[in-house]
Amino acid sequence: MNQYETVFILTPVLSDEQMKEAVAKFKTLLTDGGAEIVNEELWGMKKLAYPIEKKSTGFYALMQFNADPQLIKKLEVNYRRDERVLRYITVKLDKHAAEYAQKRINKLNQKEA
């Protein structure tokens, strides 16, 4: 199993409930496929660098997970099919990026405590 990180941007016209449902859909897709969710962050509404589909803002969500490579294709097909997703990116973390991500998670957990 490899470690991955995915960030996706949802359309800003969704209500909070619809946004949470969309995030839960992708999280469920991963866990049903055998992935282990390491970290999940909802970054909230952010201004986009350039308009996408005539929208200047979007709701950002990040998920870090361990999964088999075959699951990534299934995840990205679902991103493409879901009209609520404006953009997405999924990257495989190498050992240095995974270390950095773990330090970042630890730092966030310390702030919450």
Side-chain angles (χ1 to χ4, degrees):
M1 296 217 322
N2 298 322
Q3 190 166 358
Y4 295 94
E5 183 173 88
T6 186
V7 176
F8 53 97
I9 307 171
L10 299 171
T11 183
V13 297
L14 300 175
S15 68
D16 275 351
E17 187 177 303
Q18 291 171 321
M19 175 274 305
K20 288 178 183 173
E21 186 265 322
V23 172
K25 172 190 168 189
F26 295 118
K27 187 175 180 179
T28 302
L29 180 95
L30 288 170
T31 54
D32 288 350
E36 173 198 347
I37 306 290
V38 176
N39 186 32
E40 177 185 0
E41 295 176 28
L42 303 178
W43 291 345
M45 196 70 70
K46 303 269 186 199
K47 187 172 179 353
L48 302 173
Y50 55 89
I52 301 172
E53 298 176 11
K54 298 183 181 177
K55 294 171 178 65
S56 60
T57 59
F59 185 86
Y60 283 69
L62 166 113
M63 278 191 252
Q64 295 169 333
F65 57 95
N66 298 320
D68 289 323
Q70 295 85 5
L71 186 59
I72 302 306
K73 287 183 183 178
K74 185 177 178 183
L75 175 67
E76 292 189 345
V77 165
N78 278 279
Y79 282 151
R80 280 187 228 111
R81 287 183 179 163
D82 196 327
E83 61 189 27
R84 299 173 289 190
V85 177
L86 296 176
R87 288 284 190 275
Y88 65 89
I89 186 167
T90 304
V91 294
K92 178 182 171 189
L93 301 178
D94 63 4
K95 67 178 184 177
H96 302 295
E99 257 180 50
Y100 176 78
Q102 190 58 49
K103 285 180 186 176
R104 195 171 152 277
I105 291 168
N106 292 340
K107 195 174 189 180
L108 288 172
N109 289 340
Q110 285 178 355
K111 284 184 180 178
E112 290 175 4

